[in-house]
Amino acid sequence: MNILVTGSSGWLGQFLVPRLRRDGHRVVGLDPAPGATTEVVGSVVDRALVDRLIREHAIQAVVHAAARHKPHIETHDNSEFVAVNVQGTLNLLEASVAPASTVDRFVFTSTTSLMISQRIRDGKGGGAREATWIDETLSPLEPRNIYGVTKRAAEELCRLFNHLHGLPIVILRTSRFFPEEDDMAHAIVQSSENTKANEFLFRRLTVEDAAEAHVAALDRACDIGFDTFIVSAMTPFAREDCRQLIADAPSVVARYFPEYRQLYARRGWTMFDSIDRVYDASKAARRLGFVCRTGFKQVLESLG
């Protein structure tokens, strides 16, 4: 296929573009920042450029991973989030359904962040009695910042264009796969490597698995038609664990992985005292046929 990948110079794009090319696809990478995986330097906000790329390269599939992300909140105006995350998405969707377009599938990289309301975010410190179990049925969605609000709006545009035009669209709400530290409360106590290892229990995946999820979405989009999936390492926890996860997370982890305490002790690592949310990626396994290769079990094996 001829595939347009936006955000191709980003962390995901650096892994996804080569992965698609290994499968024999012709990939056009679009990003404002030059890079080895970017063929065209430009922005999704430029409607004329988007139209031209889809037309001239006979694009058959779009992977829209470009976005203003959560860290940009401190450095960019709200209007830029709207321009890139909302208008940029609209530009791609309209170009994809234009009369001369050859696009027959669309994959949108969204985020689990839009599912975390301020109530959930404050839950652990605000007397929550149990961890929040998060799957695709969670509602209402009340994003707590401009990043989440604009990604949610972009998802609604995807839903609308599928409804109006029948364009097959798969939305992937990815959990954390970026290399930077994000949770400073945990970072104060645990090292970056320790923090990320812990997060594989409930809210993290590798960037390689994130890329593979997009490959699966491209393969299945036309059969699925439209759907939204949480993409994260499969949690070992069950809903019944949520109360104890808030009160004593290390004991719950030890129940599933008795060896973890010794392996962690060798490195001077610790487990989070409390876990306030769990992402359930089982729908992606059932309907998309995708399961992350790396989870907490594999992390522990690498420590042995």
Side-chain angles (χ1 to χ4, degrees), residues 104-118:
D104 67 4
R105 67 198 72 187
F106 193 105
V107 176
F108 177 59
T109 310
S110 191
T111 173
T112 52
S113 181
L114 64 81
M115 307 179 78
I116 307 303
S117 65
Q118 195 63 46

Side-chain angles (χ1 to χ4, degrees), residues 113-292:
S113 181
L114 64 81
M115 307 179 78
I116 307 303
S117 65
Q118 195 63 46
R119 177 187 58 81
I120 294 174
R121 183 69 176 84
D122 294 341
K124 184 170 64 177
R129 294 184 177 181
E130 61 182 43
T132 303
W133 190 268
I134 299 176
D135 63 17
E136 293 83 356
T137 66
L138 180 73
S139 67
L141 295 180
E142 298 172 334
R144 68 188 188 279
N145 53 42
I146 190 65
Y147 171 55
V149 166
T150 52
K151 293 296 278 189
R152 178 64 178 145
E155 285 193 3
E156 284 301 303
L157 287 173
C158 289
R159 181 195 59 78
L160 179 65
F161 271 69
N162 169 261
H163 172 69
L164 294 178
H165 303 281
L167 177 66
I169 301 177
V170 172
I171 297 171
L172 300 180
R173 290 180 182 165
T174 61
S175 66
R176 300 179 181 185
F177 61 83
F178 43 81
E180 299 86 5
E181 195 65 64
D182 184 61
D183 196 324
M184 295 310 296
H186 287 147
I188 292 170
V189 180
Q190 282 92 6
S191 68
S192 175
E193 293 78 13
N194 186 175
T195 295
K196 291 171 184 174
N198 292 353
E199 289 178 341
F200 275 99
L201 287 161
F202 64 105
R203 62 173 178 190
R204 181 167 284 276
L205 72 162
T206 66
V207 66
E208 292 87 354
D209 278 332
E212 289 296 330
H214 286 73
V215 173
L218 282 168
D219 288 343
R220 295 278 296 134
C222 292
D223 293 329
I224 289 173
F226 180 85
D227 214 339
T228 301
F229 300 95
I230 289 174
V231 180
S232 190
M234 291 291 283
T235 182
F237 303 137
R239 287 178 182 265
E240 294 74 22
D241 297 320
C242 286
R243 184 173 290 270
Q244 192 178 2
L245 283 170
I246 279 284
D248 185 7
S251 294
V252 182
V253 178
R255 205 158 18 92
Y256 287 97
F257 303 98
E259 72 277 21
Y260 105 84
R261 293 187 190 273
Q262 182 179 5
L263 292 171
Y264 266 38
R266 290 177 187 170
R267 291 188 169 231
W269 284 7
T270 58
M271 181 51 61
F272 300 150
D273 292 331
S274 179
I275 290 175
D276 64 351
R277 75 198 73 164
V278 177
Y279 293 133
D280 178 1
S282 60
K283 180 182 174 183
R286 293 192 310 271
R287 184 155 164 74
L288 191 59
F290 173 78
V291 176
C292 289

Side-chain angles (χ1 to χ4, degrees), residues 65-102:
R68 284 294 176 213
H69 294 284
K70 184 179 175 183
H72 296 134
I73 292 174
E74 303 298 325
T75 56
H76 292 74
D77 292 337
N78 290 343
S79 59
E80 188 159 351
F81 279 83
V82 174
V84 176
N85 296 357
V86 182
Q87 186 62 53
T89 302
L90 179 61
N91 289 346
L92 287 159
L93 288 167
E94 289 186 333
S96 295
V97 300
S101 171
T102 52

